[in-house]
Amino acid sequence: MYKKIFLSLILLILSITGVSAQINTDRVMNIGRNALYFEDYILSIQYFNQVIKVKPYLADPYFYRAVAKLSLEDYKGAEEDCDKCIERNPFIIGAYQVRGIARQNLGNYQGAIDDYNEGLKYAPEDRTFLGNKAIAEVQLKKYDDAEASFAELIKKHPSYYNAYLSRSQFWLEKKDTLKALADMDKAIELDKHLSYAYAQRAIIKFQYGKDYQSALDDMNQALKLDPNMTSYYLNRGIIRYYMDDLRGTMDDYDRVIELDANNLMAHYNRGLLRMQVGERNKAIEDFSFVLKYEPDNFFAIYNRAILYDQLGNYRAAIRDYDKVLAHYPDFSSGYFARSEAKRKINDTAGGEKDYKKAIALYEQQKKTGIGLGKHSGGDDEEDTQTAEDNDKTRKESDKNINKFDRLLVADNTDIKSKYKDEIRGRVQDKNIKIEIEPSFVFSYYEKEDKVRSNVRYSKELDELNRTGILPMKLLITNSEVSLTTDQIEKHFNSLNDYSKLIEINPQNPVPYFCRALDYMLVQDFASSIEDLNRVIMLSDNFMFAYFNRAAVRFKQIEYNMSSEAATQSDLSITSPASGFSAPKPLPGMEMGTSMAPGKQSKALSMEYEMVLRDYDKVIEMSPTFVYAYFNRANVRCAQKDFRAALTDYNEAIRLKPDFADAYFNRGLVYVFLGETQKGIDDLSKAGELGIVSSYNIIKRLSD
């Protein structure tokens, strides 16, 4: 999930609405916005609830809470909060956009259009309003209106690649593949680094043009740009299958399972392929894996039954045949198969009975021409020998058991599902944004990374954890995770507990440090910094307090700078400008959050200086603590002092030669400074160490 989701939309309100009268309300609102910016949606909702309880007449908290609910896909709740926001202040333009997106996801397309039209009165050039309105018109099958809206969008934003991507789906809805391909080509012309565009064009060529080689070329390009996208491997596997490249197909399914061990479609299809090449035991493993999560997947059960039968495990085969035939009592092939299995265990009577049943069903099928083997409660759709029936694949929604030996594919998504991600207001995220790996912080939690190991060793941290003074094991991480509801409650309770301990003994620095961690986790940065200040006053040699104070203060700077950028931008949901362009332009590349050199305010410069002083202190106390050098380099990048940043990244890599994040960030700095080959070398090393996005950037640099 991208950090700056809905940022401009969220923060636009700051420049429109007034300031609340009570300082406490301001503080709670600000903490809630912090949590929203850092994607702690559940936590942010709790803060906005507090404001609403005290001041239910304010529009702002309803708006912010609606954004949080939208991010959590609580569309009804988001719509209701926008209603309340607009009742209190009808001039908050963002509320119409959020409510429109919520209504669109709820299927109220006309209501969404009404909201977008209202927003366009105030922001007639806004591309998100225009684009989402066009999509809603498609969903209502108002094709003439949609075509006009897309035309207006492209006229006003001719370089907006996503307008062409969206319109290409509209042309597919109208069965005009030539125009769909033309728009897809235009999107790629505008930005040749869009993996999504290549993947979509591959599907169009595959499904509509049967141009398998060209489709494969596009899917290969998509994977070069985004080598960690499981859906691309699944689709390429199908294309290769149609090209009779079984080994290539198998490789793609292996890769999907490597990236996503629980991908059931990949396991099912790999099981079918293993059946075809005679790897029966391995195929059984795949089908059994699917059945672990989908015990009523009768296609997997039937294929496993065939495999058991082939391996001579007839009783296991019969048990599986029984389950399938109980669900598909008209499946003639199933009775034939079970009759043979019964004969092999000397159940002659049972085998004869199944055989007669199979013959009767087969004769009935020949006489009526109606396909058998459908779900017993299903429709009577004719199973004629159409081109589709002779296909090599089966859609997920197709429950005709006669297609048990076909590869499984996702249903052909209609225009609604293709647009689902786009109408969440996150269209800008389809263009991969290039930004440095974030700074490290001490925390109790971190996100799991399936590619890279998240174990970060630090002698100092290990020693601290061994003391047992902290309630949980402390980690050093730059992959923070949003708290669950239970965790939020736990840390709010912890805040109260540590406050009581501080009252008992205000000279003990430990409760202050623990409470500072709790404040940081609930996104109350100001209170966290206050407690860390107190820790340092009481124990000025406590390295961890200096480190976290710098990290939290840097978070606060990041949020404040993004707030300023958002209030100066238009309504369109985009990330704030980074304030520079690289010698070799890379779309979306960001190296820092600050303004250009010479334009920083004195207050901002002072904030950065305080962060740097804390890292200097950490390095003075622990000169081998590699993460202090890394974080200090990130601050230098934010200040656009890239030569100083290089010095720190160099030292971090010297101390930790397998430091992937440092290689990645140093590579981006080299690229920005025009030393492209050095940058590519570092990015290659970062990719080798597990940062997959490095390869996407290398590809861009090499084009």
Side-chain angles (χ1 to χ4, degrees), residues 370-382:
I370 297 177
L372 301 175
K374 295 185 175 66
H375 184 286
S376 57
D379 56 38
D380 291 325
E381 176 189 358
E382 293 187 2

Side-chain angles (χ1 to χ4, degrees), residues 1 65 151 225 316 334 430 602:
M1 190 174 288
R65 193 172 72 177
L225 292 167
K430 285 188 173 63
K602 289 184 178 179

Side-chain angles (χ1 to χ4, degrees), residues 591-611:
M591 292 298 298
T593 57
S594 71
M595 296 174 285
K599 295 186 178 180
Q600 294 180 8
S601 67
K602 289 184 178 179
L604 178 61
S605 296
M606 189 175 297
E607 287 289 318
Y608 279 128
E609 187 59 32
M610 285 192 286
V611 174

Side-chain angles (χ1 to χ4, degrees), residues 6-23:
F6 298 129
L7 183 60
S8 297
L9 176 62
I10 293 168
L11 296 164
L12 177 73
I13 193 172
L14 294 174
S15 63
I16 300 174
T17 57
V19 178
S20 302
Q22 294 185 9
I23 211 68

Side-chain angles (χ1 to χ4, degrees), residues 249-459:
T249 304
M250 186 86 78
D251 289 344
D252 278 338
Y253 292 135
D254 287 343
R255 179 61 176 154
V256 172
I257 292 167
E258 180 184 333
L259 293 170
D260 179 9
N262 294 326
N263 192 296
L264 299 185
M265 184 179 291
H267 277 285
Y268 179 85
N269 285 352
R270 190 173 70 175
L272 287 177
L273 290 175
R274 284 173 163 175
M275 283 183 74
Q276 290 185 38
V277 299
E279 297 179 355
R280 294 171 183 146
N281 286 312
K282 289 184 176 180
I284 287 174
E285 290 176 6
D286 273 331
F287 291 129
S288 296
F289 185 90
V290 172
L291 290 167
K292 177 182 176 182
Y293 296 95
E294 294 182 351
D296 293 331
N297 188 321
F298 296 100
F299 294 86
I301 294 172
Y302 188 68
N303 281 301
R304 189 175 68 175
I306 294 172
L307 289 162
Y308 281 142
D309 205 337
Q310 292 173 347
L311 289 170
N313 190 351
Y314 304 121
R315 295 188 185 280
I318 290 169
R319 285 195 296 271
D320 277 349
Y321 287 138
D322 289 345
K323 294 175 185 177
V324 174
L325 291 171
H327 196 74
Y328 292 96
D330 298 329
F331 183 30
S332 60
S333 296
Y335 288 102
F336 274 121
R338 192 172 68 177
S339 72
E340 287 301 307
K342 286 181 176 180
R343 290 179 193 275
K344 290 171 183 175
I345 62 169
N346 297 320
D347 181 4
T348 306
E352 185 67 20
K353 182 179 178 182
D354 276 349
Y355 181 77
K356 289 180 179 179
K357 177 72 172 177
I359 291 294
L361 288 170
Y362 180 71
E363 291 298 325
Q364 180 185 355
Q365 182 182 27
K366 281 175 55 178
K367 187 181 297 184
T368 63
I370 297 177
L372 301 175
K374 295 185 175 66
H375 184 286
S376 57
D379 56 38
D380 291 325
E381 176 189 358
E382 293 187 2
D383 192 19
T384 55
Q385 295 298 311
T386 61
E388 180 182 358
D389 192 54
N390 287 319
D391 207 349
K392 297 182 177 183
T393 58
R394 171 180 64 87
K395 300 174 187 176
E396 284 182 294
S397 60
D398 188 343
K399 301 304 180 183
N400 187 338
I401 194 65
N402 286 301
K403 300 177 181 179
F404 66 90
D405 58 348
R406 300 184 185 184
L407 289 191
L408 182 63
V409 296
D411 289 342
N412 288 331
T413 51
D414 60 17
I415 204 77
K416 174 182 174 182
S417 60
K418 283 182 183 293
Y419 285 133
K420 187 173 182 182
D421 286 339
E422 296 170 23
I423 62 179
R424 291 179 187 170
R426 295 176 58 184
V427 291
Q428 82 282 2
D429 291 345
K430 285 188 173 63
N431 186 16
I432 297 172
K433 183 168 49 188
I434 303 169
E435 54 187 354
I436 64 174
E437 290 291 293
S439 297
F440 286 81
V441 67
F442 291 117
S443 177
Y444 297 129
Y445 311 102
E446 67 177 341
K447 292 179 183 176
E448 180 185 0
D449 190 327
K450 294 180 180 179
V451 179
R452 288 192 286 166
S453 170
N454 277 4
V455 178
R456 312 276 189 178
Y457 177 77
S458 159
K459 175 176 64 70

Side-chain angles (χ1 to χ4, degrees), residues 406-656:
R406 300 184 185 184
L407 289 191
L408 182 63
V409 296
D411 289 342
N412 288 331
T413 51
D414 60 17
I415 204 77
K416 174 182 174 182
S417 60
K418 283 182 183 293
Y419 285 133
K420 187 173 182 182
D421 286 339
E422 296 170 23
I423 62 179
R424 291 179 187 170
R426 295 176 58 184
V427 291
Q428 82 282 2
D429 291 345
K430 285 188 173 63
N431 186 16
I432 297 172
K433 183 168 49 188
I434 303 169
E435 54 187 354
I436 64 174
E437 290 291 293
S439 297
F440 286 81
V441 67
F442 291 117
S443 177
Y444 297 129
Y445 311 102
E446 67 177 341
K447 292 179 183 176
E448 180 185 0
D449 190 327
K450 294 180 180 179
V451 179
R452 288 192 286 166
S453 170
N454 277 4
V455 178
R456 312 276 189 178
Y457 177 77
S458 159
K459 175 176 64 70
E460 295 87 349
L461 183 59
D462 186 54
E463 291 173 354
L464 177 65
N465 282 322
R466 287 176 184 275
T467 65
I469 63 173
L470 301 176
M472 299 169 63
K473 181 181 179 181
L474 199 62
L475 308 171
I476 180 76
T477 182
N478 66 344
S479 300
E480 295 179 85
V481 64
S482 300
L483 301 185
T484 65
T485 303
D486 290 342
Q487 289 167 340
I488 291 168
E489 182 179 358
K490 174 182 177 179
H491 287 288
F492 275 130
N493 291 334
S494 178
L495 282 170
N496 293 329
D497 293 340
Y498 283 119
S499 295
K500 292 175 183 176
L501 289 175
I502 288 168
E503 288 179 10
I504 295 170
N505 184 3
Q507 300 305 309
N508 185 354
V510 174
Y512 286 105
F513 182 71
C514 294
R515 192 172 68 173
L517 288 170
D518 287 330
Y519 275 130
M520 180 193 74
L521 289 167
V522 298
Q523 305 293 348
D524 187 349
F525 297 150
S527 296
S528 181
I529 291 171
E530 288 175 10
D531 273 353
L532 291 169
N533 289 342
R534 187 67 178 175
V535 173
I536 291 167
M537 287 175 60
L538 295 169
S539 178
D540 64 0
N541 63 344
F542 192 43
M543 179 269 286
F544 299 91
Y546 286 102
F547 187 87
N548 254 28
R549 185 171 70 175
V552 173
R553 183 167 274 135
F554 192 55
K555 281 173 174 280
Q556 198 167 43
I557 293 172
E558 180 184 2
Y559 171 73
N560 291 339
M561 290 300 299
S562 297
S563 301
E564 291 177 19
T567 56
Q568 294 168 7
S569 67
D570 61 15
L571 180 62
S572 160
I573 303 174
T574 56
S575 298
S578 59
F580 70 90
S581 58
K584 181 169 182 179
L586 284 174
M589 185 171 179
E590 295 189 16
M591 292 298 298
T593 57
S594 71
M595 296 174 285
K599 295 186 178 180
Q600 294 180 8
S601 67
K602 289 184 178 179
L604 178 61
S605 296
M606 189 175 297
E607 287 289 318
Y608 279 128
E609 187 59 32
M610 285 192 286
V611 174
L612 290 172
R613 285 179 183 175
D614 275 347
Y615 286 132
D616 291 344
K617 186 68 174 177
V618 172
I619 291 168
E620 177 187 326
M621 289 186 286
S622 298
T624 61
F625 190 64
V626 65
Y627 305 103
Y629 294 99
F630 179 87
N631 282 15
R632 191 169 68 178
N634 280 7
V635 178
R636 299 296 194 194
C637 285
Q639 293 182 301
K640 301 194 173 18
D641 186 356
F642 297 115
R643 292 297 174 188
L646 279 179
T647 300
D648 275 338
Y649 288 134
N650 291 341
E651 183 62 15
I653 291 168
R654 187 188 71 79
L655 291 168
K656 184 176 171 59

